[in-house]
Amino acid sequence: QKEVEQDPGPLSVPEGAIVSLNCTYSNSAFQYFMWYRQYSRKGPELLMYTYSSGNKEDGRFTAQVDKSSKYISLFIRDSQPSDSATYLCAFNTGNQFYFGTGTSLTVIP
Amino acid sequence: DTEVTQTPKHLVMGMTNKKSLKCEQHMGHRAMYWYKQKAKKPPELMFVYSYEKLSINESVPSRFSPECPNSSLLNLHLHALQPEDSALYLCASSQDVPAGVDNEQFFGPGTRLTVL
């Protein structure tokens, strides 16, 4: 079993839609949960991070963590064409980062 | 300044060439990383430096040689690479390697390397 599972997509949504991106993980040592956004031919950019179960909101973005189910989600409200990118979930044991494969998102105007 | 810079942006090299990738940060971070990313794949960790000492080497071939001259700089020396080494090479930094609520990684824009 892979330590991190993420649906690669691609995912296409109309502008204004709510987007839900998800990752599952198997390693109980993961302590920190992150979402990165990566535009084509650019380095990943940290969007959100959290270390506890529950929801964390930042503008149009909400990160959700369910440690009991080993499941994290990123919700994007009122999606914009500028949100078109690859979204990577990432996990940190404290010594090493693990990335999901990334989900490619296209928001269509 | 929350920026990690990398030079060059693009590099084309032959299999017999020797070249170096450079990374710089001025955030006072004490952990720096090299990742390799192939198209449509997640970043793969290569090396971790903590307090200017190599702390993790993920079984990377010796044709890749990292160097940390000081706490702000990280180099990756390349020699006798293969075409399959063509990828985006990403540098990242974080406050420290042990866990901490402020231990986010900041990535540079990457160097796009092509080996002919």
Side-chain angles (χ1 to χ4, degrees), chain A residues 31-32 34 36 38 41-44 46 49 51 88 92-97 99-101, chain B residues 33 35 37 42-43 45 56 58 88 90 97-101 103-105 107-109 112:
Chain A
Q31 300 178 36
Y32 299 96
M34 293 152 284
Y36 285 81
Q38 187 171 22
R41 297 181 176 272
K42 300 286 187 185
L46 181 67
Y49 78 92
Y51 53 90
L88 298 139
N92 182 0
T93 62
N95 289 313
Q96 197 159 340
F97 286 78
F99 287 91
T101 53
Chain B
Y33 310 76
Y35 286 86
Q37 188 175 24
L45 184 65
I56 294 177
E58 290 287 346
L88 181 69
L90 293 159
V97 173
V101 73
N103 193 27
E104 305 101 83
Q105 267 190 334
F107 282 84
R112 175 71 59 186

Side-chain angles (χ1 to χ4, degrees), chain A residues 20-60:
Chain A
S20 172
L21 305 167
N22 310 297
C23 286
T24 58
Y25 65 96
S26 59
N27 190 338
S28 299
F30 289 159
Q31 300 178 36
Y32 299 96
F33 309 91
M34 293 152 284
W35 285 96
Y36 285 81
R37 175 176 62 196
Q38 187 171 22
Y39 292 111
S40 181
R41 297 181 176 272
K42 300 286 187 185
E45 169 197 9
L46 181 67
L47 269 182
M48 310 241 348
Y49 78 92
T50 184
Y51 53 90
S52 56
S53 281
N55 292 351
K56 181 175 181 179
E57 196 171 312
D58 184 1
R60 297 186 294 112

Side-chain angles (χ1 to χ4, degrees), chain A residues 94-95 97, chain B residues 4 23-34 47-56 67-74 91-98 102-106:
Chain A
N95 289 313
F97 286 78
Chain B
V4 177
C23 174
E24 192 166 359
Q25 58 87 14
H26 295 287
M27 294 178 276
H29 289 173
R30 303 316 298 263
M32 296 185 77
Y33 310 76
W34 279 115
F47 302 104
V48 180
Y49 272 83
S50 177
Y51 289 84
E52 298 157 52
K53 287 187 168 47
L54 184 64
S55 64
I56 294 177
E67 179 199 16
C68 191
N70 61 57
S71 59
S72 300
L73 293 174
L74 185 66
C91 173
S93 71
S94 63
Q95 190 74 29
D96 206 341
V97 173
D102 293 323
N103 193 27
E104 305 101 83
Q105 267 190 334
F106 293 85

